[in-house]
Amino acid sequence: MARALARKRFERARSGHQPNELSLPQLEDGHMKLYNHHTPVLPEGTYGIEAKQIIETANEELHVYNYDSLNPAPSPAGEDYPVAPQKFTVVAPRFQIDPRAINSYYPPDGFVEEGRILPYIVFNDPHLPWERSLFQPRIFPPADVIDPFFRLKTRPPWIALVVFDPEELQLTKADGDALRVPAFNANELPGSGAYPMTVGDYLTKVTSRVPLEEGLPPHSIEWANLQASPDPVKIIFPNKDLVQTIFPHENLMESMFMAHVRQVSTIDMPDAAGDDSRLYSICMSHRSGPTIGAGSSKPTTQIVHLVSVENIIYGPYDPANASNRIGVISLFSWTYTSTPPLPSNFTAIMKNLADQKQMLRPPNPILNEIVTSVNGHPSSEIKAGSKLLQERLSLGYTISQWRTSTGEETAAFMRGPLVPIPTLPTPTAMTPSDWPATSNTGKDYQILDRDSGLMDLTYSAAWQLGKTMAMLDAVFFQALLRFRSAIRKTATSEVRMALSGLEAAADVINRAPRTMMNLGALTEGGKAPMRNVLVKTSSWDGAFNHPNMLPLSRSLSGNAIDRSVQFGDQIFSDSQPGNANNADWELIHKWISDKLFLSGIPAHYLVTDPSHLASTPAPFSPKGPIQLPPEALRFFHIDDAWLDCLIDGALSVANHYSAETDIGRLKIKEVYNTYLRTPVEGTTLKPPAPRYGFFLRSALVRAIPDLRVIITCKKVENNVATEDPDRTPLIRLTKMDDHTILALLDCLPEQIYKILLVQPPHQQRFTAPIAADGVPYTLKRLYTRGAAANWYSFHVPPSEIAKWYDPATRVVKMPKFVESLKSLLPFRTTAPPAFDADIGSAVVALELNDRNYQLEIKPPSGSSPPVTIRGDRQLWTGSTTTPAAPQPVALRARDSFQGTSPIDLVESIRKDLMMIKEKAQPSIPTTVPNKSTQISHHPSPTISTLPSLSALSTPQYTLSIRPAYRSASPLPTISSTTPPHPVYSPSDYLPTQSPYLIDLIISLNRRADAPTETGMPLLALTVIISTNTTLASSSDPNADEEHAVEPLLQAYRGPGATMLHNHRLLPLLSRSANQLQIHLISRSAAPPPPSPPNPIKAKLVTNVAVLLKGCTIAGVERVREVEVAGEGVVRRGVADVGWVERYAVGGENVDVKGVVGVVKRDVDV
């Protein structure tokens, strides 16, 4: 449903705009067809089918009829069996209608409209107004109401729409008793004036009603069934004189010309997923609300009833019934408010939409008020904070409550996929390689706003939402589970076969003859054939994700996925006929495609704050309450990275692979990317993806549910922009609720030529033929031939108009109006006339139609910039081959927390910060760069002066490092020799020759003998790792090999670090060409720089574990003699890793530093 417009685009491209054989005739652009009526082929009633088969042979002919039993009695000699027709009944509504048959009605419930407007109702069923006969077959038409107008090409409907004042339907206790209304209570009158009862009660108890039994045989079974019917019905009791005024006895012209049918194009309407055009029946009221001519000067409530007029001509005038009221069947009803001519009419509402259009964020006056409200405040911090808040809110953010994984409650920034500015393919200001292609928890997508100290949960929330939606969607989850299982099973089998030297079964069968000959040759002379020894399946299952197996596993898994997603020899696309090789892939493909079109995403993720769709407060009250529903037109860009995170979260479920080697997830994305950049078969069009869009939230949407949205693109030639008729950028148009429309486009805003909001042909207002706002009423020129290029209206003498409308009863005098049209419309006297048609309900409807309004939105006039060409939409897979966007505005003041610490921001990392073999102990630099400062490769900062040291002189923690795939080894022991030295465990080393990236677990454990005083708050922990061969001070000319530093890692380019244990701390990386620092600070470190971070009690940080992902262990460059338990003294590489513990003691910062040796071996994993 979400991609119906996109599929329709491909169908048109393949068929060359040829309509389906079963569809309605295609309409030209801007055209509609009108019909006086659309009578059903079979009216309501009982019918019979007589079936006869003739079987001919060479000698005889046999006639076979349908019978009323399986074993009919033998027919008389020489006679055929009696034919028994098979009966069926065509049922038509009579006492109530299905609400689903109603398309819309106007004015809607609670709406305010001018009194001159004639209410109308639109039905999805074009036959509904004519499914029953207005008269029962006693006499049709009655002899006493024969009128020449009945001979016209208009069939009277059995329903009519009537406007009532509330008091016209109110019953007193005396009325209720006289009419014998079932369960009548004078103290609890229905608001609509319609009294519920059963059909049987209406026909047997109510004393004054419409004689529905007219035309039926006396004592018929049908009438008896109706009298006993328990079906519900609603009855109104208007005055008989009013009924006779609305439906005059002398003819029923008023209702005869008030229903017609329109065939309209549905292409540009919300949620129009069917044919290009549809038939709608329209029934309008010939009675208006109070008008100025009727003495109306204030708003009044009006009740509109859709009533049955079947046999009503016999009811109100029955002299045997002395009651002055009559019970009429009400099929549907609603209320609205009628007013004198409004200054805020259709035109004003549309102009207000255009004037207040903006990007999707809080109204601009509210954003401006955030800053202007503190202009006179003495605090510069308050002013800076207000400016920062305004910047974040203007980027579409909202502030939400957030509970961290450790339980603390704090605030965080968040927004959805719809943003007011273009976004980069990856949301971080760092290089794209720092943005993870996949995640297994979503925490990798959390971003720290370094200016405010708040976490940005935008992409992490998207990942969690995707995973939640996938698990709740049983069909998608099971399909993904089966798909992953099948791929893993196939890939595992092929890996085993490849490593065991086996061939596929098909290849073995094809080579069977040659194999038999070879076997015969091998067994000659008593030689036994060689055999392959296969590894058990269970062994391969455990080793499938081993690093040595990954290249082969990845390749074969990818091949299995490629075979599953194909349709024949092409990539599968659900926009073309045919099925994929794997049925589960069709479901996965559809789910991903729907999410790119925002289908199924909760509305509070799309619009994260109600103020984004709020109207602008009144000028005199800038802090007034937000008024909903507002008149809001809000444009937005699509954040591709948000949707990528959502899809990654969904694809993370049903994972058969280890956390770091999810082969299938990346391959699914790559295959889907191939689909996105491949034209659909039979066309030159690629699958579209939303780039831009807007919300329209307005009372117009409720009043006109099928509001047409027409969008065209521009083409630029010689720096002049013109409309491109071949480009239709609208790919989704749907109603979010009764007031809101969502439109998605596959183009950028600079490519749009214009946007039109137009009333659809079947939802245009009708007006009584009276003057409006002092403008005389005019008729439209209608043509049956030789139509003018521009149709126009012509004025009618006031004396003629006065005949058409009665201000006292507010009823359009339809006989007079039709009679005038017959004389006024044939305006051309020369032959042939321009209009020579009979006056039917379609002509009457055209003449009573109000002006058709539309809102056109165009970019500013002037020279048009070249139209931007943007690359194909691609899911993020960690690559950078997708064409970049045209210099979008980046979301500022944000950075991935894998970057520089927001507290200890440094412009570069000094080599002399390492404590290895140093005499001095400098502190961690605290220089704060400007906002525009980049993160790496900057001049060295100055180092802050060390505060005086307290009694703390030795480290309070121990540090250890191990590969993530290996369990923890015992800490080195201290030998009893002189001098003492560490003794390492045999498994305590890091391999340097692994062809794969290694994840390291860095653990800091508080010593058992460490002081536990509460007055020793911990500010930060920093781990310092050397990343290449350097000297302790390269500027020292006396530096020698003794001071050389053995590197632990090669230059680090991994995705960053995450906390494994003790989530009270947050890991932040700083890196240079020679060094990597991991800063662990409290998550509550909210004060902006240069303020010191908030401390945390040291006793709460007893154990800390950090996962450093994607490391390459540097090779051994210089060896040292180390003692290994059970092996003695051996030669190994040893890299010294330092750490700094910063405490707040006595108002001063105290740095305590330590160092540990980490053993390296030149071996594989």
Side-chain angles (χ1 to χ4, degrees):
M1 184 67 178
R3 293 177 290 127
L5 286 178
R7 289 197 182 99
K8 182 66 67 175
R9 180 189 297 184
F10 295 126
E11 291 175 7
R12 289 183 171 183
R14 278 192 294 264
S15 63
H17 299 270
Q18 294 298 323
N20 189 289
E21 294 180 358
L22 300 179
S23 63
L24 293 169
Q26 191 168 359
L27 295 172
E28 298 182 23
D29 291 338
H31 285 65
M32 68 172 173
K33 284 187 176 182
L34 294 95
Y35 304 87
N36 291 331
H37 55 82
H38 210 282
T39 308
V41 176
L42 291 179
E44 186 260 353
T46 301
Y47 300 85
I49 299 177
E50 295 183 359
K52 176 181 179 182
Q53 293 178 329
I54 301 176
I55 303 175
E56 296 181 355
T57 65
N59 302 322
E60 61 178 336
E61 180 179 292
L62 178 63
H63 292 191
V64 181
Y65 300 90
N66 59 307
Y67 304 101
D68 57 359
S69 66
L70 295 178
N71 299 304
S75 62
E79 297 183 11
D80 289 332
Y81 284 106
V83 177
Q86 184 171 347
K87 296 181 180 180
F88 68 94
T89 302
V90 176
V91 179
R94 191 172 193 180
F95 299 104
Q96 56 185 342
I97 60 175
D98 189 344
R100 292 173 297 181
I102 299 175
N103 173 270
S104 60
Y105 51 89
Y106 187 89
D109 272 312
F111 203 74
V112 178
E113 188 51 278
E114 299 179 56
R116 68 184 180 91
I117 299 300
L118 300 175
Y120 67 85
I121 186 168
V122 182
F123 299 105
N124 294 316
D125 183 0
H127 305 96
L128 193 145
W130 301 276
E131 284 186 328
R132 302 191 67 84
S133 174
L134 178 62
F135 299 94
Q136 291 295 342
R138 183 183 66 170
I139 43 175
F140 179 77
D144 56 343
V145 294
I146 292 179
D147 188 275
F149 292 108
F150 278 107
R151 300 187 180 93
L152 298 179
K153 298 179 180 179
T154 294
R155 179 183 175 89
W158 70 280
I159 56 177
L161 200 65
V162 186
V163 178
F164 295 98
D165 293 329
E167 56 272 14
E168 293 175 340
L169 300 178
Q170 290 180 357
L171 298 181
T172 63
K173 186 177 185 305
D175 292 332
D177 294 340
L179 293 168
R180 295 176 59 189
V181 178
F184 178 79
N185 187 347
N187 297 321
E188 296 181 3
L189 300 178
S192 65
Y195 295 84
M197 60 187 72
T198 65
V199 173
D201 287 343
Y202 171 63
L203 297 178
T204 59
K205 294 182 179 180
V206 175
T207 59
S208 179
R209 59 172 176 78
V210 176
L212 296 180
E213 64 272 22
E214 289 292 340
L216 295 177
H219 310 293
S220 66
I221 297 178
E222 181 181 352
W223 178 245
N225 291 337
L226 286 176
Q227 288 181 310
S229 173
D231 293 339
V233 66
K234 291 185 177 180
I235 307 298
I236 60 174
F237 294 91
N239 191 283
K240 288 182 178 180
D241 294 336
L242 178 60
V243 174
Q244 187 171 2
T245 300
I246 298 174
F247 304 108
H249 177 70
E250 60 270 15
N251 54 51
L252 283 181
M253 289 286 296
E254 279 72 9
S255 63
M256 179 182 296
F257 286 91
M258 304 310 290
H260 67 287
V261 174
R262 297 189 180 190
Q263 179 187 348
V264 301
S265 173
T266 61
I267 295 176
D268 304 312
M269 298 178 189
D271 300 313
D275 296 329
D276 290 347
S277 64
R278 286 191 61 181
L279 290 170
Y280 296 96
S281 55
I282 303 172
C283 184
M284 56 183 172
S285 173
H286 60 285
R287 192 186 192 208
S288 70
T291 60
I292 294 178
S296 172
S297 60
K298 60 181 180 179
T300 58
T301 300
Q302 299 291 284
I303 304 176
V304 186
H305 280 275
L306 180 69
V307 300
S308 169
V309 294
E310 181 185 6
N311 280 8
I312 200 172
I313 195 171
Y314 305 121
Y317 322 109
D318 185 357
N321 193 327
S323 176
N324 65 342
R325 292 182 178 269
I326 182 171
V328 179
I329 299 172
S330 174
L331 302 169
F332 185 75
S333 66
W334 75 91
T335 61
Y336 76 99
T337 301
S338 175
T339 68
L342 292 171
S344 58
N345 52 20
F346 247 56
T347 307
I349 292 177
M350 285 191 165
K351 288 182 178 179
N352 185 52
L353 278 174
D355 293 340
Q356 295 193 17
K357 67 180 184 296
Q358 66 167 61
M359 301 306 292
L360 185 65
R361 56 190 174 201
N364 293 330
I366 295 180
L367 291 176
N368 297 335
E369 179 70 13
I370 295 176
V371 176
T372 58
S373 62
V374 296
N375 282 341
H377 201 283
S379 173
S380 59
E381 294 181 356
I382 295 296
K383 293 180 180 179
S386 298
K387 181 64 176 177
L388 181 64
L389 178 61
Q390 183 201 44
E391 290 177 355
R392 298 303 181 272
L393 296 182
S394 65
L395 295 175
Y397 282 97
T398 185
I399 299 178
S400 61
Q401 188 178 15
W402 178 43
R403 186 185 295 274
T404 67
S405 56
T406 55
E408 292 91 348
E409 290 189 2
T410 182
F413 285 125
M414 196 178 76
R415 60 168 174 78
L418 313 180
V419 293
I421 61 173
T423 56
L424 294 166
T426 55
T428 173
M430 301 170 63
T431 59
S433 60
D434 293 318
W435 187 248
T438 61
S439 176
N440 289 291
T441 63
K443 290 185 178 180
D444 304 292
Y445 297 131
Q446 293 180 357
I447 299 174
L448 185 67
D449 187 324
R450 64 188 184 200
D451 285 352
S452 64
L454 297 182
M455 191 68 73
D456 181 355
L457 302 179
T458 296
Y459 301 101
S460 177
W463 191 94
Q464 293 291 350
L465 174 65
K467 183 173 183 178
T468 302
M469 292 175 65
M471 291 189 295
L472 292 177
D473 190 335
V475 175
F476 170 75
F477 181 84
Q478 292 171 7
L480 185 61
L481 178 63
R482 290 191 299 265
F483 186 79
R484 280 182 173 269
S485 299
I487 297 304
R488 177 176 176 83
K489 181 178 180 181
T490 301
T492 304
S493 176
E494 292 182 355
V495 168
R496 293 174 55 243
M497 292 172 64
L499 296 182
S500 301
L502 297 181
E503 297 180 89
D507 295 336
V508 173
I509 294 175
N510 292 334
R511 297 176 54 186
R514 182 182 300 177
T515 302
M516 296 301 296
M517 295 176 61
N518 293 338
L519 288 175
L522 289 173
T523 55
E524 290 180 359
K527 296 181 180 179
M530 298 177 62
R531 296 185 299 169
N532 288 321
V533 180
L534 303 181
V535 182
K536 295 183 179 180
T537 303
S538 58
S539 302
W540 285 110
D541 289 341
F544 186 76
N545 294 319
H546 190 276
N548 290 336
M549 302 284 290
L550 279 179
L552 184 59
S553 302
R554 184 176 291 110
S555 174
L556 295 178
S557 296
N559 294 339
I561 293 177
D562 286 337
R563 293 191 298 269
S564 299
V565 303
Q566 286 183 334
F567 162 59
D569 57 351
Q570 297 180 347
I571 190 73
F572 169 75
S573 170
D574 60 356
S575 299
Q576 64 190 35
N579 300 322
N581 293 347
N582 185 295
D584 291 323
W585 173 249
E586 297 183 27
L587 298 173
I588 298 171
H589 179 280
K590 180 182 181 299
W591 197 94
I592 297 175
S593 300
D594 287 346
K595 296 306 167 283
L596 290 183
F597 280 68
L598 309 184
S599 176
I601 298 178
H604 61 277
Y605 278 89
L606 300 180
V607 182
T608 54
D609 194 278
S611 66
H612 294 180
L613 292 180
S615 59
T616 302
F620 61 87
S621 179
K623 297 181 180 179
I626 295 175
Q627 301 295 326
L628 293 176
E631 301 298 320
L633 182 58
R634 300 291 185 260
F635 294 88
F636 54 79
H637 295 264
I638 306 292
D639 186 357
D640 292 345
W642 194 97
L643 293 174
D644 291 345
C645 292
L646 179 134
I647 293 172
D648 185 76
L651 296 179
S652 68
V653 302
N655 184 9
H656 291 74
Y657 302 93
S658 66
E660 304 302 328
T661 58
D662 191 350
I663 304 169
R665 197 189 327 178
L666 273 179
K667 185 61 181 179
I668 289 175
K669 294 182 183 181
E670 293 171 359
V671 168
Y672 192 82
N673 285 343
T674 304
Y675 154 77
L676 288 175
R677 60 176 179 263
T678 304
V680 175
E681 184 184 11
T683 73
T684 59
L685 304 176
K686 296 179 182 179
R691 302 285 196 182
Y692 191 68
F694 62 86
F695 282 109
L696 171 61
R697 183 172 178 85
S698 171
L700 287 179
V701 179
R702 185 161 180 256
I704 312 175
D706 293 336
L707 183 70
R708 296 182 65 198
V709 179
I710 304 173
I711 305 174
T712 57
C713 284
K714 69 175 65 171
K715 57 181 179 180
V716 179
E717 297 178 355
N718 299 325
N719 207 31
V720 177
T722 57
E723 190 171 9
D724 186 356
D726 299 326
R727 177 78 188 278
T728 54
L730 187 63
I731 56 176
R732 189 185 182 195
L733 187 65
T734 186
K735 289 178 61 179
M736 306 292 290
D737 57 31
D738 288 343
H739 293 86
T740 310
I741 286 179
L742 168 66
L744 298 181
L745 317 177
D746 66 344
C747 69
L748 299 175
E750 59 267 24
Q751 296 174 293
I752 297 175
Y753 183 75
K754 66 179 178 181
I755 300 174
L756 285 177
L757 305 179
V758 185
Q759 291 179 262
H762 64 294
Q763 291 175 353
Q764 296 177 5
R765 301 190 303 175
F766 299 92
T767 65
I770 59 176
D773 298 332
V775 179
Y777 187 80
T778 59
L779 289 177
K780 305 175 183 67
R781 287 295 189 196
L782 302 180
Y783 300 81
T784 54
R785 60 177 58 85
N790 295 315
W791 290 21
Y792 60 93
S793 302
F794 62 96
H795 294 277
V796 182
S799 58
E800 189 73 20
I801 297 178
K803 303 176 183 178
W804 302 342
Y805 181 76
D806 184 357
T809 61
R810 297 140 45 192
V811 174
V812 179
K813 300 177 181 179
M814 196 55 61
K816 298 292 185 182
F817 186 64
V818 174
E819 190 68 32
S820 296
L821 292 181
K822 292 177 64 178
S823 61
L824 294 174
L825 287 183
F827 59 93
R828 189 179 298 168
T829 58
T830 57
F835 182 86
D836 61 356
D838 290 331
I839 306 298
S841 58
V843 172
V844 171
L846 280 177
E847 292 297 347
L848 293 180
N849 261 138
D850 195 14
R851 297 181 183 91
N852 185 16
Y853 296 99
Q854 66 181 31
L855 173 64
E856 180 176 328
I857 304 172
K858 298 187 70 172
S861 59
S863 59
S864 299
V867 176
T868 304
I869 304 298
R870 187 171 179 177
D872 300 325
R873 171 69 165 99
Q874 297 282 273
L875 302 182
W876 180 250
T877 58
S879 62
T880 56
T881 57
T882 303
Q887 300 298 326
V889 181
L891 298 183
R892 297 177 292 106
R894 304 184 309 153
D895 207 346
S896 170
F897 62 75
Q898 285 94 8
T900 306
S901 163
I903 305 303
D904 292 309
L905 287 171
V906 293
E907 295 177 343
S908 67
I909 303 179
R910 295 280 296 269
K911 293 187 291 291
D912 57 3
L913 186 57
M914 289 292 290
M915 285 73 62
I916 302 172
K917 300 184 179 180
E918 291 182 358
K919 297 179 180 179
Q921 298 203 6
S923 67
I924 299 176
T926 57
T927 301
V928 181
N930 185 274
K931 289 184 179 181
S932 62
T933 303
Q934 298 296 320
I935 294 174
S936 59
H937 308 298
H938 289 275
S940 299
T942 58
I943 305 299
S944 58
T945 306
L946 261 180
S948 59
L949 298 178
S950 68
L952 290 172
S953 58
T954 59
Q956 308 302 305
Y957 290 85
T958 60
L959 185 145
S960 63
I961 301 179
R962 63 180 175 87
Y965 60 81
R966 187 188 301 160
S967 58
S969 302
L971 291 177
T973 59
I974 304 300
S975 67
S976 57
T977 59
T978 303
H981 59 269
V983 180
Y984 294 89
S985 168
S987 61
D988 189 5
Y989 68 89
L990 299 180
T992 64
Q993 295 182 352
S994 172
Y996 309 106
L997 298 178
I998 295 178
D999 294 347
L1000 298 181
I1001 296 179
I1002 304 172
S1003 301
L1004 285 162
N1005 298 303
R1006 190 167 176 80
R1007 297 163 58 95
D1009 57 350
T1012 59
E1013 290 83 357
T1014 58
M1016 190 180 64
L1018 178 67
L1019 294 178
L1021 292 171
T1022 301
V1023 179
I1024 306 171
I1025 301 172
S1026 58
T1027 55
N1028 71 336
T1029 302
T1030 60
L1031 294 178
S1033 177
S1034 58
S1035 60
D1036 184 2
N1038 298 320
D1040 52 22
E1041 185 68 16
E1042 182 183 358
H1043 296 89
V1045 177
E1046 175 73 15
L1048 181 68
L1049 305 177
Q1050 293 184 10
Y1052 182 72
R1053 296 184 177 85
T1058 57
M1059 296 300 301
L1060 292 180
H1061 184 67
N1062 205 326
H1063 291 271
R1064 292 185 177 87
L1065 302 179
L1066 182 69
L1068 303 129
L1069 302 191
S1070 299
R1071 71 193 84 182
S1072 72
N1074 305 322
Q1075 210 177 92
L1076 173 68
Q1077 296 184 7
I1078 306 175
H1079 308 278
L1080 305 178
I1081 64 172
S1082 170
R1083 284 185 179 267
S1084 61
S1091 302
N1094 291 333
I1096 186 173
K1097 294 181 180 179
K1099 66 178 182 179
L1100 299 178
V1101 189
T1102 56
N1103 299 290
V1104 178
V1106 182
L1107 180 67
L1108 185 62
K1109 300 180 179 180
C1111 301
T1112 301
I1113 310 300
V1116 176
E1117 297 186 5
R1118 43 187 62 81
V1119 297
R1120 291 163 50 180
E1121 291 185 349
V1122 296
E1123 184 175 351
V1124 177
E1127 299 181 13
V1129 178
V1130 296
R1131 296 178 63 82
R1132 298 279 191 269
V1134 179
D1136 291 329
V1137 177
W1139 73 94
V1140 179
E1141 307 165 13
R1142 172 167 290 184
Y1143 300 93
V1145 180
E1148 296 182 341
N1149 293 344
V1150 176
D1151 291 343
V1152 180
K1153 306 178 181 180
V1155 63
V1156 66
V1158 178
V1159 177
K1160 302 188 300 180
R1161 291 183 62 184
D1162 286 335
V1163 294
D1164 197 348
V1165 176

